[in-house]
Amino acid sequence: MGTSDQPDTVLQPDEIRSAVGLTDRVLEQLDRILLGRPALHRMVVAGILSRGHILLEGVPGVGKTALVKALGQLMNLGFNRVQFTPDLMPGDILGTHILQERGDGGREMTFQPGPVFTNILLADEINRASPKTQSALLEAMQERSVTLLGTTRMLPEPFFVLASQNPIELEGTYPLPEAQLDRFLFKLVVTDVPVDVLDNIISTRRRGEPPTPTWTMTAEELNRVFAVMDRVFLPKPVSRYISRLVAATHGTSAEATDDVRAYVAYGASPRAAIAMAEAARAHALLAARPAVGFGDVKVVAPAVLNHRIVLNYKARFDRVDAFRVVDGLLAEIDEAGLNLPKEFEIAEVSDA
């Protein structure tokens, strides 16, 4: 690596082809196991390549848990599932110390790791746990470590939290605080599938049971993809565009839109810009490109920003959501920052 996080050398076609061949196989298997959600699967894989945590929001029965379980099978990674409930305690996730007898008859406190010591942690219905238990995941999600009784233990590499929450049941739930939401790379909304997909599911899946994967990725292959991902180039104009987009989520920004000034109480943090840069790199790699384009940023921006923008009460009254605010930013902020007349636009040129 050079003096920054940018790679020293441009990725070669053979390197990209090898990594994309593996990611394409993961996507192919996900599309075969869970029908009718190719766009969602692509975003989830982009999140994994970015080494980010993902929050899946949707009503019960739309396949959130099945998606995470399928991903764990495909990646050949350690997988634990925790059903979050109001009486779940931090020790139930992180682990705890218990008093055990030694061989010499003495006693000592020994640490019993909790389910967080894995590669993929499925936090099912995360908003049902108390704020105290939700907060127990903050260190694990940000620093990939757990500190108990003054001792810090590192989590396995890679480590991802894939959490689900139900947006319609409010009784007995505790909304995630902004600090926790900010630690999720993406919040992806899992919607209902169309009629044709429903027909296909009930015609081909007895009791709705998905098929098992016919191929799995090895740890060595996953590390090879991560190595290629680390070398995807982020051009300066694109990083500038990301920075301007995130800055414009604040009403005090010169580039803030009318919707931002009217409806946003708090804009996105610098962590959003970092997340958007990584996710855009992953999206470029999935498209077999060695460098990030403006189009990659536009695809990942709604998933990165929607849970990080805090709307005010006026937005609720006017039925304005974060996706409308982000769409407005993407439509009104020109990529190059040249303030071109509306009849001009910048187009990406392909060598193909």
Side-chain angles (χ1 to χ4, degrees):
M1 303 292 285
T3 55
S4 67
D5 287 339
Q6 294 285 21
D8 289 329
T9 58
V10 177
L11 280 167
Q12 298 303 306
D14 286 346
E15 295 174 298
I16 297 178
R17 244 190 320 269
S18 172
V20 172
L22 292 169
T23 55
D24 280 351
R25 295 194 75 175
V26 172
L27 289 169
E28 177 191 336
Q29 290 290 319
L30 282 176
D31 292 345
R32 190 180 71 84
I33 295 170
L34 299 161
L35 302 174
R37 301 197 182 279
L40 175 67
H41 297 161
R42 203 169 183 83
M43 290 299 288
V44 169
V45 172
I48 294 295
L49 295 180
S50 308
R51 298 176 174 85
H53 310 294
I54 299 172
L55 178 61
L56 299 168
E57 183 175 273
V59 297
V62 292
K64 303 184 294 296
T65 304
L67 170 59
V68 179
K69 289 173 72 175
L71 200 62
Q73 290 176 315
L74 280 171
M75 296 283 188
N76 256 328
L77 295 173
F79 172 80
N80 282 331
R81 172 181 177 176
V82 178
Q83 185 68 45
F84 278 56
T85 55
D87 59 350
L88 190 75
M89 300 299 291
D92 298 328
I93 303 171
L94 304 179
T96 188
H97 291 82
I98 60 173
L99 189 61
Q100 283 195 329
E101 190 169 328
R102 297 195 304 261
D104 61 2
R107 294 180 177 180
E108 63 180 2
M109 297 294 287
T110 59
F111 179 68
Q112 294 296 315
V116 75
F117 286 85
T118 186
N119 297 116
I120 297 179
L121 177 69
L122 169 55
D124 214 1
E125 296 194 272
I126 190 172
N127 56 334
R128 288 197 175 280
S130 68
K132 179 179 180 181
T133 304
Q134 292 175 5
S135 299
L137 279 176
L138 286 176
E139 182 190 1
M141 293 174 69
Q142 182 62 30
E143 300 171 34
R144 265 75 175 176
S145 64
V146 170
T147 302
L148 287 172
L149 296 181
T151 301
T152 299
R153 296 175 176 85
M154 299 306 296
L155 296 173
E157 282 286 345
F159 172 72
F160 309 102
V161 174
L162 280 80
S164 70
Q165 69 174 7
N166 178 356
I168 60 172
E169 292 181 10
L170 299 179
E171 190 172 346
T173 63
Y174 303 88
L176 295 176
E178 281 70 26
Q180 184 119 33
L181 284 172
D182 199 29
R183 281 162 171 79
F184 283 101
L185 178 90
F186 290 155
K187 187 178 92 170
L188 301 173
V189 178
V190 186
T191 57
D192 290 328
V193 292
V195 172
D196 289 344
V197 175
L198 279 176
D199 188 8
N200 199 5
I201 291 172
I202 61 177
S203 302
T204 60
R205 310 281 170 84
R206 292 302 304 270
R207 296 173 292 280
E209 295 171 358
T212 56
T214 56
W215 172 86
T216 58
M217 179 182 277
T218 66
E220 187 271 333
E221 289 172 328
L222 181 59
N223 287 331
R224 201 191 319 155
V225 176
F226 280 151
V228 173
M229 166 72 186
D230 287 344
R231 294 176 57 205
V232 175
F233 183 70
L234 181 67
K236 190 64 181 173
V238 180
S239 70
R240 183 73 181 175
Y241 177 52
I242 292 173
S243 304
R244 290 169 51 228
L245 266 181
V246 173
T249 61
H250 297 262
T252 54
S253 168
E255 293 191 280
T257 61
D258 291 342
D259 275 355
V260 169
R261 293 194 177 93
Y263 298 121
V264 175
Y266 298 98
S269 71
R271 193 178 278 135
I274 297 168
M276 202 181 299
E278 289 305 312
R281 281 186 169 102
H283 192 268
L285 177 60
L286 291 176
R289 282 185 275 104
V292 182
F294 295 117
D296 298 310
V297 177
K298 291 181 176 180
V299 171
V300 302
V304 171
L305 291 176
N306 79 88
H307 56 298
R308 291 182 162 99
I309 293 177
V310 181
L311 301 178
N312 57 24
Y313 285 104
K314 187 171 187 296
R316 189 175 301 176
F317 183 77
D318 290 346
R319 297 180 179 275
V320 172
D321 62 13
F323 287 104
R324 173 178 142 173
V325 174
V326 176
D327 288 346
L329 287 168
L330 294 173
E332 294 188 29
I333 296 180
D334 73 282
E335 296 91 335
L338 299 176
N339 296 319
L340 295 173
K342 289 186 176 178
E343 59 269 28
F344 290 89
E345 64 178 24
I346 295 176
E348 292 187 32
V349 178
S350 172
D351 293 332

